[in-house]
Amino acid sequence: MTITITAFERSPDGGRGLARDTRVRWALEEVARPYDARLVSFRAMKEPAHLALHPFGQIPTYEEGDLVLFETGAIILHIAEDHAGLLPADPDPRARAIMWMFASVNTVEPPILEYANAKLLEADKPWSAERLPIVADRVRARLTQLSARLGGADWLDGTFSAGDLMMVSVLLRIRASGLLDEYSNLAAYVARGEARPAYQRAFAAQLAVNRR
Ligand code: GTB
């Protein structure tokens, strides 16, 4: 069955791979599942046809036959449950990999998004210079904890899983700030994720769209 995802017609990041379709592309590449990408403009995302797929008018969405999904974590969990390669078969490590998927978006990503918004949307506010270091410290608090847990391991829980795919994707969002480089094991962890051939193919696919 054909899989179709949606992605920005033109990503605001200019092809740095930070929009969330890259996470879905990466998961599909890891399990060697071909897919089509339908590109949508910001305007089209808010129109009824797209809102029928995604009630919040965002990308990515995922269509496979009659199944329509939105929310990146749910999409990746569906892909991982449907194909071998992204979740361990044993129940306990499988549950832990899913735990890391949730931790990435529920615990690590929120301060990272707060930081991104503070830099992007609040830079012109009179209180911005005072607030930004506070928000940066909230990111550091999470990175310190994550760094301590990862230690010298390659991946969060044994072999690479969907938990790592999502955590690496979340951490990529903060790399340009320099905060990630304060944690050499996390910087190396992200570089390991990026070096995976499946990530490279996903990155190239989204870049091809944004270089047009
Ligand atoms: N919780 C949802 C999920 O995980 O799927 C969040 C989806 C989401 O935030 N989608 C964004 C979107 O459609 C694109 S990825 N935004 C348009 C809108 O809300 O109107 C977030 C994103 C956007 C831009 C950059 N960037 O430029 O660096 C990075 C990430």
Side-chain angles (χ1 to χ4, degrees), residues 28-46:
L28 289 166
E29 291 289 353
E30 288 285 350
V31 301
R33 188 74 198 261
Y35 64 94
D36 293 335
R38 190 171 61 249
L39 307 179
V40 287
S41 65
F42 272 93
R43 205 189 58 204
M45 270 190 271
K46 310 301 175 199

Side-chain angles (χ1 to χ4, degrees), residues 8 12-13 18-20 42 45-46 57-60 71-72 173:
F8 282 130
D13 76 353
L18 300 176
R20 290 178 198 217
F42 272 93
M45 270 190 271
K46 310 301 175 199
Q58 297 183 312
I59 61 96
E71 202 61 42
T72 313
R173 193 92 194 257

Side-chain angles (χ1 to χ4, degrees), residues 8 11-14 16-21 23-24 40 42 45-46 50 54 56-61 70-75 105 109 113 116 120 166 173:
F8 282 130
S11 176
D13 76 353
R16 288 163 59 218
L18 300 176
R20 290 178 198 217
D21 59 290
R23 303 176 190 189
V24 175
V40 287
F42 272 93
M45 270 190 271
K46 310 301 175 199
H50 188 75
H54 196 312
F56 306 115
Q58 297 183 312
I59 61 96
T61 58
F70 63 92
E71 202 61 42
T72 313
I75 294 170
V105 285
E109 193 163 45
L113 290 184
L120 211 71
M166 287 184 55
R173 193 92 194 257

